[in-house]
Amino acid sequence: MSEELGMQYTIGPEPKDPQEADKWHKTHRGLVLTDEAYSQLAGDQDAQQRFRNLILQFQMDQGSTEQYQDNLAAIFAGNQTLTSKFSSFLEAPTDSEDDKAAANERLSELTGITPLKTISGRPTFEESAAFLEDVKDRFIGQPGIYDEFLHRINMRLRDEASGVDTYAGLVQMLKGEPDLLERFQHFWPRESAKV
């Protein structure tokens, strides 16, 4: 059985292989903390949406470490619990590239989110968010399809599925939606599916 988390991230059952199970537990802990943060921000829809956008921006690798720290500190302002739980990232030094990489790795551990690797010509954060919103709107009457779409992308981002299999599955899901399929192929050209 899958765990459904409030921000629409899904993690499959615990793997039997000990190494994979350890990775699964780390991802699960991060996604639970991300979901907890999202839930604690429920009283402030603007902060909740900014948090969701920051996580998506981090996942799409569309910002700097300093931006993530500043924005997260502003989102969590006044919430000592969340500020404390994310302090190892919020207070991490960013003086050198190594510091920034270590801080981003810490944010990845805390949230359970792995940023995309840099791919030249990749769409912007805004284009990516608009595409996902359009997929969600298109399948509004069939929420399972959108959830599965996100699940497959997240499995690939966490290196839990091959690029070729993920690409083929996503293309199959969008087969009846030529405009979305064309946009998807702009985001994820067939050649990069092997990555």
Side-chain angles (χ1 to χ4, degrees), residues 56-184:
L56 183 57
Q57 190 175 20
F58 179 66
Q59 186 173 21
M60 299 303 293
D61 198 20
Q62 294 281 333
S64 70
T65 306
E66 294 88 347
Q67 288 172 324
Y68 301 141
Q69 285 179 324
D70 291 346
N71 291 340
L72 202 56
I75 292 165
F76 291 167
N79 188 322
Q80 290 297 63
T81 302
L82 291 178
T83 300
S84 175
K85 288 184 177 190
F86 282 81
S87 65
S88 63
F89 169 72
L90 291 170
E91 298 169 4
T94 58
D95 300 326
S96 69
E97 291 304 312
D98 287 343
D99 288 343
K100 292 174 188 177
N104 284 347
E105 179 60 32
R106 186 64 191 135
L107 183 58
S108 182
E109 289 171 12
L110 286 167
T111 61
I113 305 296
T114 303
L116 289 170
K117 309 296 185 270
T118 302
I119 302 170
S120 63
R122 186 179 62 233
T124 66
F125 168 74
E126 291 79 13
E127 290 171 324
S128 301
F131 173 72
L132 287 175
E133 195 63 35
D134 289 346
V135 170
K136 181 179 180 180
D137 289 346
R138 186 72 52 92
F139 296 108
I140 194 92
Q142 305 167 43
I145 293 176
Y146 179 68
D147 292 344
E148 180 64 19
F149 192 85
L150 289 179
H151 171 72
R152 288 174 185 244
I153 290 172
N154 286 314
M155 292 290 289
R156 178 63 196 129
L157 292 173
R158 293 189 305 263
D159 291 326
E160 295 173 7
S162 78
V164 173
D165 291 342
T166 303
Y167 181 86
L170 294 173
V171 165
Q172 183 65 31
M173 293 176 79
L174 296 175
K175 189 169 65 172
E177 307 295 334
D179 60 318
L180 291 178
L181 180 58
E182 182 179 333
R183 287 173 62 199
F184 170 72

Side-chain angles (χ1 to χ4, degrees), residues 10-52:
T10 307
I11 186 168
E14 180 179 352
K16 293 186 187 334
D17 176 86
Q19 280 186 307
E20 292 300 314
D22 183 54
K23 186 175 166 182
W24 184 92
H25 282 286
K26 287 178 183 176
T27 300
H28 184 263
R29 279 192 302 271
L31 291 174
V32 167
L33 179 58
T34 299
D35 191 54
E36 177 187 332
Y38 186 75
S39 296
Q40 283 193 30
L41 296 169
D44 182 346
Q45 287 187 333
D46 179 59
Q48 200 177 43
Q49 186 61 46
R50 289 185 355 228
F51 180 69
R52 179 186 289 265

